[in-house]
Amino acid sequence: MQRKLLFFINPISGVRNKKKLEEKIVSKCMAEGALHEILYTNKEGNYDYLPQKVSDNQVTDVIICGGDGSISPIVSHLLNISVNIGIIPLGSGNGLARSAGISPNLNRSLNIVFTGTPKYVDAFLVNNKLGCQITGFGFDALIAGEFAKERKRGLSTYTQLAVKNFLKARTYEFEISADNLQINLRAFIVCVSNANQFGNNLKIAPRASLQDGLLDLVILKQTSKMSILVSFVNHLIFGKKISDIPKAGRKHILYFNTSEVTILNRDMAPIHIDGDPVDPMEKFDIKILPSAYKLIHPA
């Protein structure tokens, strides 16, 4: 059966020239003998028309060209549709794509669309809103909110914001319930991860898998700014396992798995879903959606 590909390009993701991207897509599809259409994402995330369009046009693959935040609004409309999802990473971090082994190189990721293998992967719900990569409370959500206001994209902008805000960063009070575990604490960051990283190979949850039917919770507890750096740098930058981090840093990190978790956000900490800020609420119910959609992986 001839493949019919529907491409969505996020016009503001990353810094790549979108006209050249379109040219590469057209050239590759023609070379592969694949029918294709190119659309642009919308900031409202309104894709209510998509299931009908996929059905009417017999679309076999929906390819999302953008960052992590571009993926879940589209995927949320395709959960019960027989269609493959591809990613051409254009974002500042591309955490979901990297977790799936998809190269941020344009030519390589476009080639994966045609040579890769669709595999079922998990997603999750945050108060019934779909996420695919990671949801976070606290400092990383604060930076995500600041980053969303910036006109200039890219890793350098994100890094500058993180450094700028670190010294004035605060902790927040949370009550976390998962399985038979209940935790009351103040934390700098609470991350609920499906993918293993924020992006750029910064692995906040190194044991996380897109296909294990579990969420990985990583909590950086209240401590001094120096201890935060010790914990964070060892765990995130160098990718050390919790057991390998020096004791002084290890004790400030909690890491465990669950299929669902309830988080009471006592101080109305900022929150993001896949890098996109959302309005703080007092209670968040988060649960895994096993084998939610088919993602094209490298062969």
Side-chain angles (χ1 to χ4, degrees):
M1 184 178 70
Q2 186 177 30
R3 293 177 70 182
K4 297 182 179 180
L5 287 79
L6 178 59
F7 290 83
F8 281 96
I9 298 177
N10 186 330
I12 65 169
S13 282
V15 295
R16 188 168 287 148
N17 185 302
K18 304 307 187 297
K19 187 174 186 299
K20 289 184 178 179
L21 171 61
E22 286 193 39
E23 291 172 354
K24 282 185 176 288
I25 289 172
V26 171
S27 176
K28 183 67 172 177
C29 287
M30 290 180 64
E32 296 288 342
L35 299 175
H36 69 281
E37 181 180 356
I38 298 175
L39 301 176
Y40 276 79
T41 61
N42 60 78
K43 64 180 180 180
E44 295 82 13
N46 182 6
Y47 303 101
D48 292 342
Y49 65 89
L50 190 52
Q52 192 66 50
K53 183 175 182 65
V54 168
S55 176
D56 289 347
N57 294 276
Q58 296 183 306
V59 173
T60 58
D61 306 82
V62 174
I63 313 302
I64 304 165
C65 310
D68 292 310
S70 306
I71 298 167
S72 54
I74 295 174
V75 170
S76 67
H77 290 81
L78 299 172
L79 292 180
N80 299 310
I81 307 294
S82 180
V83 67
N84 303 322
I85 306 295
I87 302 175
I88 296 179
L90 300 183
S92 301
N94 305 308
L96 181 63
R98 290 177 186 270
S99 295
I102 300 170
S103 171
N105 177 277
L106 173 56
N107 291 327
R108 292 175 185 170
S109 60
L110 187 54
N111 191 55
I112 288 169
V113 169
F114 292 94
T115 64
T117 304
K119 300 178 183 178
Y120 276 105
V121 296
D122 305 333
F124 57 91
L125 292 176
V126 183
N127 286 359
N128 292 317
K129 181 178 176 65
L130 189 80
C132 294
Q133 178 212 5
I134 185 172
T135 188
F137 299 77
F139 183 68
D140 65 316
L142 173 67
I143 302 306
E146 293 295 312
F147 186 72
K149 301 173 187 176
E150 295 288 329
R151 297 184 63 182
K152 183 180 178 182
R153 315 299 286 179
L155 177 60
S156 62
T157 299
Y158 191 92
T159 302
Q160 290 170 14
L161 290 170
V163 172
K164 176 183 175 182
N165 286 277
F166 178 72
L167 290 179
K168 60 182 180 182
R170 54 165 292 193
T171 59
Y172 301 87
E173 183 180 355
F174 299 99
E175 182 178 321
I176 300 170
S177 302
D179 300 323
N180 295 321
L181 183 68
Q182 183 165 320
I183 306 169
N184 293 276
L185 80 174
R186 297 195 66 85
F188 181 67
I189 287 176
V190 174
C191 285
V192 185
S193 299
N194 184 37
N196 63 19
Q197 61 180 272
F198 289 132
N200 292 297
N201 289 322
L202 300 179
K203 295 185 178 179
I204 183 65
R207 297 199 303 266
S209 166
L210 297 173
Q211 298 170 289
D212 64 355
L214 292 171
L215 297 165
D216 287 43
L217 263 75
V218 184
I219 303 168
L220 186 54
K221 297 187 290 184
Q222 181 177 27
T223 183
S224 68
K225 292 290 170 53
M226 182 57 68
S227 293
I228 287 172
L229 283 175
V230 171
S231 303
F232 212 57
V233 169
N234 275 289
H235 178 56
L236 188 61
I237 305 300
F238 295 119
K240 290 186 177 181
K241 298 178 181 178
I242 303 300
S243 58
D244 294 334
I245 296 174
K247 189 174 181 180
R250 185 195 320 165
K251 66 181 180 180
H252 304 300
I253 298 177
L254 295 178
Y255 190 153
F256 60 94
N257 300 110
T258 185
S259 59
E260 57 184 288
V261 60
T262 296
I263 298 177
L264 300 184
N265 186 15
R266 298 298 192 191
D267 290 337
M268 301 298 281
I271 177 176
H272 74 88
I273 301 175
D274 294 350
D276 281 351
V278 298
D279 292 335
M281 298 176 63
E282 186 175 351
K283 181 180 179 182
F284 287 89
D285 293 311
I286 307 170
K287 65 178 181 179
I288 197 76
L289 290 181
S291 301
Y293 63 101
K294 288 186 290 185
L295 179 64
I296 302 173
H297 286 65

